[in-house]
Each structure stands twice: as C-alpha cells, then as structure tokens.
Amino acid sequence: MKKRARVIVTYNCPRHCENCCNEHIGNVPEVVFTDLLKYEELVITGGEPMLLAPRVLEMIHRLRANGYEGKIWLYTSCVKTARWADRAVLKEVDGITYTLHHKPSQTDLRDARKLSKYILDNFDNRKNRRSDRLLIDSRCYTNEVLTIIGLDTEDSWGHWTSVKYLKWKDDECPLPEGEELVFYDLEKE
C-alpha cells in the first residue's frame, strides 16, 4: 500500500492568490477512483475542495463503502459552517488544515471564528484523535486577527491541534516526503 496522496479534486478557487502553488505544479497525474483505495492516507485539497462540498462528502462515503480504512484529511480555506455539506464533511474527516490567507476579508475572519467555535463545540480532538490545524498567512498574523477569530490567548487555542503562521514562499511548494500529488476530478463525476 502506498503511503499518502494529496488529492486535488478541483483547480477552482475563489482566492486567486499571487504565486499560488497550483499555477506552477506542472502536470499532475489524473487517477481513477480505485487508485485512491491504494493509499494509507488521503489529503483532499484543491484549488478549493469545499466549493464542491457535497461531492467531497459523496467521495468520502464512497471510499468508506469500498472498504477504505485509512485516514482522510482536508486542506481548505473556505468552510462555511452554516452549510450542511460543510458540516457533514467536517464530521467525516480525521482532521483539517484550515488556512487563513493574506488580506482576509471580514467574511473570511467571521468564517474562521465560526469554524473555530464549531470545532470547539463539536469535537474533542484528544478523545477523537482528530488533527485540526490552523495556518495563518504570516503577512496577516497579528494580535488583531487572532482576537477577531477568537484566538487572542493561547488558552483559546486548545481545540486546534496547532495554530501556526505560514511563511509564504514564492514559487516553492514542495510535497512532504512520501506524499504523491494526484488529480481526481470531482467536477467530472
């Protein structure tokens, strides 16, 4: 069994960040559904996978129905806890990496605060062995931003496995060792 796949499910993203990794990753091999079953862990990413939250949920259910027992992670910057599909995806994954990008709007900050509260209210990460990580672009990592999203003291970080600032690296998007990058087109499904 292969170790881990970072699975791009869409290249669409509302952010349009300068120097986005997706703009210079080159050709990513497209896989079929059964190929995903060969990995110990799957990292669902994009673009922005939560633009397709109902399809991501169907994909996870289909994986489990086909006997997949590995970990499933979600990398996102766009969770709306008011949407049923987003909440359902959060309940199905083993954890998320949520990134607050440079120049966040007031809506982005509110969404981050709501997500933080949702995780606090619905998951005990120590008990459920979840790993929910918050990354904040270092260009907007300020005490004011932390206060707005409800993380103004380290005591308030307890429901996140980690809260870190993300240093932006132009044109540099290395994959972790042992991880393969693949494309599974959920928009085609």
Side-chain angles (χ1 to χ4, degrees):
M1 188 172 249
K2 297 178 182 182
K3 180 68 177 156
R4 178 186 284 181
R6 185 172 299 209
V7 184
I8 295 173
V9 296
T10 181
Y11 286 101
N12 289 330
C13 181
R15 303 242 175 251
H16 310 293
C17 298
E18 286 184 40
N19 297 314
C20 174
C21 289
N22 284 346
E23 292 179 10
H24 36 181
I25 56 176
N27 292 332
V28 177
E30 188 167 352
V31 296
V32 296
F33 179 80
T34 54
D35 292 334
L36 299 176
L37 300 170
K38 299 174 184 173
Y39 292 93
E40 291 177 26
E41 295 183 21
L42 298 172
V43 178
I44 300 170
T45 189
E48 178 48 62
M50 295 307 279
L51 293 175
L52 305 171
R55 290 184 180 173
V56 169
L57 182 61
E58 289 170 10
M59 175 184 159
I60 294 168
H61 287 169
R62 188 171 167 207
L63 285 162
R64 297 297 188 206
N66 279 275
Y68 185 79
E69 295 179 1
K71 299 274 188 185
I72 300 175
W73 311 101
L74 175 69
Y75 281 25
T76 182
S77 66
C78 189
V79 173
K80 307 277 188 192
T81 56
R83 296 187 302 213
W84 72 268
D86 290 33
R87 291 190 310 271
V89 169
L90 291 174
K91 290 178 181 174
E92 294 295 328
V93 296
D94 294 288
I96 66 169
T97 296
Y98 184 83
T99 304
L100 188 60
H101 284 71
H102 183 50
K103 297 181 182 176
S105 68
Q106 288 300 314
T107 299
D108 293 334
L109 296 172
R110 275 193 305 272
D111 289 345
R113 183 181 188 99
K114 289 175 184 177
L115 175 61
S116 189
K117 182 173 178 3
Y118 185 83
I119 290 171
L120 175 64
D121 291 347
N122 291 279
F123 305 114
D124 180 347
N125 291 344
R126 293 173 300 266
K127 180 180 168 187
N128 297 324
R129 299 182 183 239
R130 286 181 60 91
S131 178
D132 295 312
R133 301 178 302 165
L134 175 63
L135 300 178
I136 304 173
D137 188 310
S138 60
R139 296 169 292 180
C140 69
Y141 191 97
T142 65
N143 288 339
E144 180 183 2
V145 165
L146 291 175
T147 299
I148 290 169
I149 62 177
L151 300 175
D152 47 350
T153 66
E154 286 198 32
D155 290 342
S156 63
W157 297 5
H159 53 289
W160 290 99
T161 308
S162 67
V163 177
K164 295 181 181 176
Y165 74 91
L166 174 67
K167 187 166 169 110
W168 191 265
K169 298 177 183 177
D170 291 345
D171 300 331
E172 195 176 310
C173 304
L175 281 175
E177 190 174 322
E179 191 168 290
E180 292 180 37
L181 184 64
V182 298
F183 176 58
Y184 178 66
D185 192 351
L186 270 185
E187 294 181 290
K188 199 167 63 170
E189 286 276 310

